[in-house]
Amino acid sequence: MPGLFPSLRGYRWQWLGRDALAGATVWAVLVPEALAYATIAGVSPVVGLYAAPAALILYAVFGSSRHLVVGPMAATAALSAAIVGDAADGSGAHFAALTAALAVTVGLAALLAGLLRLGFLASFISEPVLKGFIVGLALTIVAGQLPKLFGVEGGSGDFFEKIWALAGDLGATSGLTVLVGAGSLVLILVLRRTAPFVPGSLIAVALGIAVAAAFDLESHGVAVVGDIDTGLPSFGFPDVSLDDLGGLAAGSVGVLLVAFAEGLGAAKNYAVRGHYEVDADRELIGLGAAGLGAGLSSGMVVNGSLSKTAVNWSAGARTQLSGVFVAPLTVITLLFGPRWGRPPAGTEPRRS
């Protein structure tokens, strides 16, 4: 195994400010996204935050990308909900424990694949396929976020089904929600053009929080995250049986394929921009370590995120130290943020 923290080799202290600022910007984006993706996975929103700190640090230790940000993502969250839903057999109390167990099994599968040096399989995925995957993923993200921009419920399914559902819901558009969302987008785009070194995403989030609090936007129909109990997760192996793990094994391979393709595509995209290379085997090991950390922290499946990596790059990150900065900020959010909600039933680790 090559050295740890590969992205920090030759680190220059002049980069510290940019990495810290990028970390704060990513944190501002990660928190609401993690809460949302946990609900897609069918678990309490706070589970998304539980998954992030260990995953971010462990990927920085083992991963080869300087800019990739790992965390809960929509595609793997949806797969997690489907796989766990079948394994849980309708048992809500067992659902969260199985979700954490799936993160562990995906992590173990990725670690094994990386140690067996199966990353070469990624070379069979052509550049047009990777670019097509990235474009398709971006369109899927847009289709998933547009209903929130218009303040409507939206629909499920693929890109076209979501857009069709959105078109049918436009009559219920919330004008104030559109104003807040469009104003935030305009602010980010203007700052990117006029002041590219200013973290527009972070400023937009901070300003949005201030405006929502000052004008009580929730009472006027603008959706907010809401109150959830504070507190750290339970640490340890999820309380599941060997039979449960066996039932998750086959599904974990499918999740791994999606997670690896998505993360590798984002990592390669920004490696080209930054004029460095990523190692597919190390990416598997980094993904595996991140998944294990997330699962043993009562979390959920994680993988490389194109949207958060884009934010990280735009904010000026130079190394994985930006992700390391995100981890304690997320812990602080869990400890001192709004009331994020009690750990859902079934997340307690097995005690010996």
Side-chain angles (χ1 to χ4, degrees), residues 35-109:
L35 297 174
Y37 295 148
T39 62
I40 293 175
V43 291
S44 170
V46 74
V47 172
L49 293 184
Y50 289 168
L56 288 161
I57 292 174
L58 288 171
Y59 178 81
V61 172
F62 296 104
S64 64
S65 172
R66 299 176 190 172
H67 298 97
L68 188 70
V69 178
V70 297
M73 285 296 296
T76 48
L79 287 173
S80 175
I83 295 168
V84 172
D86 290 339
D89 195 23
S91 173
H94 205 35
F95 200 97
L98 284 171
T99 298
L102 180 63
V104 172
T105 58
V106 172
L108 288 173

Side-chain angles (χ1 to χ4, degrees), residues 131-144:
K131 288 184 177 179
F133 183 87
I134 291 171
V135 171
L137 179 61
L139 290 174
T140 301
I141 292 171
V142 169

Side-chain angles (χ1 to χ4, degrees), residues 47-304:
V47 172
L49 293 184
Y50 289 168
L56 288 161
I57 292 174
L58 288 171
Y59 178 81
V61 172
F62 296 104
S64 64
S65 172
R66 299 176 190 172
H67 298 97
L68 188 70
V69 178
V70 297
M73 285 296 296
T76 48
L79 287 173
S80 175
I83 295 168
V84 172
D86 290 339
D89 195 23
S91 173
H94 205 35
F95 200 97
L98 284 171
T99 298
L102 180 63
V104 172
T105 58
V106 172
L108 288 173
L111 276 176
L112 180 61
L115 293 173
L116 292 176
R117 305 188 68 81
L118 297 182
F120 73 91
L121 295 174
S123 63
F124 292 101
I125 305 175
S126 66
E127 195 69 23
V129 170
L130 276 177
K131 288 184 177 179
F133 183 87
I134 291 171
V135 171
L137 179 61
L139 290 174
T140 301
I141 292 171
V142 169
Q145 296 301 311
L146 280 176
K148 299 178 178 64
L149 184 63
F150 288 94
V152 298
E153 184 175 351
S156 58
D158 59 27
F159 170 79
F160 299 102
E161 290 171 330
K162 289 179 179 179
I163 294 297
W164 183 255
L166 173 64
D169 290 340
L170 287 179
T173 296
S174 166
L176 186 56
T177 300
V178 173
L179 180 63
V180 172
S184 299
L185 287 174
V186 169
L187 175 62
I188 293 171
L189 293 174
V190 168
L191 287 176
R192 180 175 298 177
R193 179 172 291 274
T194 61
F197 293 105
V198 175
S201 299
L202 180 60
I203 291 175
V205 170
L207 188 59
I209 292 172
V211 171
F215 297 98
D216 192 16
L217 294 185
E218 184 179 10
S219 65
H220 296 287
V222 177
V224 298
V225 171
D227 293 336
I228 312 175
D229 281 337
T230 56
L232 294 176
S234 297
F235 298 98
F237 200 85
D239 189 9
V240 297
S241 67
L242 288 177
D243 288 340
D244 291 327
L245 291 176
L248 297 173
S252 66
V253 176
V255 176
L256 170 59
L257 291 175
V258 172
F260 181 52
E262 186 173 349
L264 185 64
K268 284 191 171 183
N269 185 33
Y270 285 93
V272 170
R273 298 189 186 192
H275 307 291
Y276 63 92
E277 294 184 357
V278 293
D279 183 321
D281 292 322
R282 288 210 67 136
E283 286 304 293
L284 279 169
I285 293 172
L287 174 63
L292 276 176
L296 296 177
S297 303
S298 302
M300 57 183 285
V301 174
V302 295
N303 61 280

